[in-house]
Amino acid sequence: MKTQTGHGTISLTALLAIYSISMVTSLPGLAISPILGDLQHIFKGASDLELQMLESLPSFIIVPFILLAGRLSLHVNKKKILIIGLAIFFGCSIIYPFSNSLSLLLVVSALLGVGAGMIIPFSTGFIADNFTKRYRTRQLGIASSITNLTLVLATFLAGVLADINWHYAFLVYCLSGISLLFAFKLKSTPPPVTPLRTITATTTSTKHQWPVALMLLYYFITFLVVTVPFNLSIYMETLKHYKDPDISGTLISVFFLAMTIPGVFINNIISGLKTNTNFIALCCITLGFVLFILKAGLVILTIGILLIGLGYGCMQPIIYDKTSASTEESHATYALALVMSMNYVALITYPFITQWLQDLFSTDASYFPFLLSMILGGAFTVYAYFRRNSPALGMQMQS
């Protein structure tokens, strides 16, 4: 069975191999979340910072290694980089369940970040290498959906395994073994023949420039939407009848599920909305936060979460596609690495920025992060309306 790429076909095995990379990118940090409470009792002498580092350390390590892997892709066979990253990741998944000391867990977490950082650029990079135009857009949408759906399923699986034994939660990382096996089926992609040209202030071609506008856009929308998973459980504490942690957990799952839907239909969405696609997606995100501020009950809250998830799930693959389309094909992986690193930069910086703003305005209200996201989202939505034909914000279906 062959799949059209826009300039030929690709085998089903190779396509599944590419999809499997997207499955791994959502895994770092997942196993720690459901067992943080247990680890406080298991490692009684550990500080809160040490325990929090288990969850956040991979994200800190991922950013520089995403950039390193993207840069190496210009000079080294991409398949080799991917296999090394997957081998490191899978090796960590084997060591994790046998780790009984906090120091070993921290070391393995750092190595997991190294492996993940070397993998992440190729979840979209191999699509950019193999597909073009509307075929690329469709596959980037599917890859984005796979990443988000895996996030939901793996989070649930990690929680179930943690209930049996806290060591077992780390078994979710073994999913990387599937990707490692598939990776050997990928076609070797040699580095580009021509070196990356030096950019000067007078350069007229945008082919080799950093996609700064797209990087900032991806950082901004990620910063907005992580308000939901980071603050929802605290927000729910303010609602009289919805303090049960299971409710907030279910709503977060709904949020991630909503993110998966647009990717499957991304070509249809772009065909219908054209240059208004990103603008309408931003409207959905902003309206979702407006519904949070209303505190109008569970149904309205669920609609708000769906709108935010749908808006972000629509913009994510579009940003990847715009990055690929605005870069020379041989340098697409490097450009995508720069853009994708913004996701993790947003995750790292979000708690510090929101805490600083809360201190600045002398408030610790549970709805403040949602109010902040509503204001920022509203301001940017207005800006996006007037700039919807710009290279970063505009979107046209490619034939």
Side-chain angles (χ1 to χ4, degrees), residues 32 35 39 42-43 54 91-109 111 165-168 170:
I32 299 296
I35 63 172
L39 293 179
I42 295 166
F43 303 110
L54 282 174
C92 292
S93 72
I94 295 174
I95 299 171
Y96 256 130
F98 300 100
S99 303
N100 289 307
S101 69
L102 186 59
S103 58
L104 180 57
L105 285 174
L106 286 169
V107 170
V108 179
S109 294
L111 288 173
N165 186 299
W166 69 270
H167 290 93
Y168 295 168
F170 296 107

